[in-house]
Amino acid sequence: RLINSEYMFTTCYQLTEIKFNENTRTENLEKMSSMFQDCSVLKYINTKIFKTLKLTDLNYVFSNCKYLKELNLSNFNTKNIKELIGTFRFCNNLVNLDLSNFDTSKVTNMSNMFYYCSNLKEINFGNINTSSLEDMSSLFFECSNLTFIDLSNIDTSVCGKISRIFKGCTSLISLDISNFNTSKIEDMSEMFYQCSSLKSLNLSHFD
């Protein structure tokens, strides 16, 4: 009965494949952070075996998995997740991510979540709930292939940090953040730094 898989494969630099027993019991899994961090040539991860209901964070789980081109997280139950720090950081070959099933109602920190996902072209957030989110700093840092981000369901009412959130998003042409509540935000440093394709921004509602 697996309870802790933190750092299980961290820095397995030459690992290209992991074959899990399909019957592996993970319903008691409580810790998984950095499990595949720095598995830089791993091409595929069978995520279907993971039961994630008891997890409270997914910090750096896939960080620096540079060869991963796709991730199926449709079975992930994130009801109790509080942190998603650096979850997909440096996943340079990911093109699409579907997170529409993610329950993020308890998440307080998403900093560096997509940091340097330089080939990412689409993120599906679905009806994301970010009512508890306090830190969004560097969320899309250097996501240089994103041309559009749907932030219409993002709630920033308790968020205090959005520094570098769009830094290096050089392909972003337009950005609608008209729903952003900035009343609690203290740090906006480098927020749009190097957004060299942005043609207009309406920040008239910013508090």
Side-chain angles (χ1 to χ4, degrees):
R1 296 182 180 181
L2 187 62
I3 296 174
N4 189 344
S5 64
E6 285 185 316
Y7 303 98
M8 189 171 177
F9 305 104
T10 299
T11 63
C12 290
Y13 296 125
Q14 303 301 316
L15 195 62
T16 59
E17 184 181 12
I18 305 171
K19 290 184 178 180
F20 292 107
N21 184 332
E22 293 291 333
N23 297 315
T24 299
R25 296 184 63 183
T26 61
E27 65 269 19
N28 293 308
L29 191 60
E30 296 176 2
K31 296 181 179 181
M32 193 180 171
S33 61
S34 299
M35 184 174 180
F36 303 102
Q37 184 173 349
D38 294 324
C39 290
S40 51
V41 294
L42 192 61
K43 295 181 179 180
Y44 173 75
I45 302 171
N46 179 9
T47 55
K48 292 181 180 179
I49 69 163
F50 296 112
K51 308 290 189 297
T52 58
L53 179 60
K54 293 187 178 181
L55 291 179
T56 56
D57 77 72
L58 287 170
N59 295 345
Y60 304 105
V61 176
F62 307 108
S63 178
N64 209 31
C65 289
K66 294 182 177 182
Y67 269 56
L68 278 182
K69 290 187 176 180
E70 59 182 66
L71 267 175
N72 183 354
L73 304 175
S74 59
N75 63 304
F76 271 37
N77 187 328
T78 59
K79 183 180 179 181
N80 293 307
I81 296 292
K82 295 180 180 178
E83 291 184 342
L84 291 165
I85 302 170
T87 306
F88 308 104
R89 189 180 69 120
F90 285 113
C91 287
N92 303 124
N93 271 307
L94 277 182
V95 177
N96 300 293
L97 262 178
D98 186 355
L99 306 179
S100 58
N101 62 299
F102 270 35
D103 181 345
T104 54
S105 56
K106 294 181 181 177
V107 175
T108 60
N109 196 330
M110 285 185 177
S111 61
N112 302 293
M113 187 175 177
F114 307 105
Y115 189 101
Y116 245 103
C117 290
S118 53
N119 276 309
L120 198 58
K121 292 184 178 180
E122 184 179 359
I123 307 169
N124 182 3
F125 287 117
N127 295 315
I128 191 170
N129 181 341
T130 60
S131 56
S132 300
L133 191 57
E134 298 172 1
D135 191 346
M136 294 171 69
S137 55
S138 299
L139 181 59
F140 304 106
F141 187 103
E142 291 289 345
C143 289
S144 53
N145 263 312
L146 279 178
T147 58
F148 172 76
I149 311 171
D150 184 359
L151 301 171
S152 57
N153 290 315
I154 299 292
D155 181 350
T156 61
S157 57
V158 297
C159 190
K161 299 177 182 178
I162 55 174
S163 62
R164 298 177 297 280
I165 183 173
F166 305 111
K167 182 176 180 178
C169 291
T170 53
S171 297
L172 268 184
I173 298 171
S174 62
L175 196 58
D176 183 359
I177 49 177
S178 57
N179 60 308
F180 272 32
N181 180 335
T182 60
S183 59
K184 299 282 181 69
I185 292 175
E186 297 177 352
D187 192 352
M188 293 186 186
S189 59
E190 300 183 28
M191 187 174 173
F192 306 105
Y193 190 95
Q194 291 180 328
C195 290
S196 52
S197 296
L198 270 182
K199 294 184 177 179
S200 65
L201 267 177
N202 185 356
L203 306 181
S204 58
H205 63 288
F206 270 32
D207 185 348

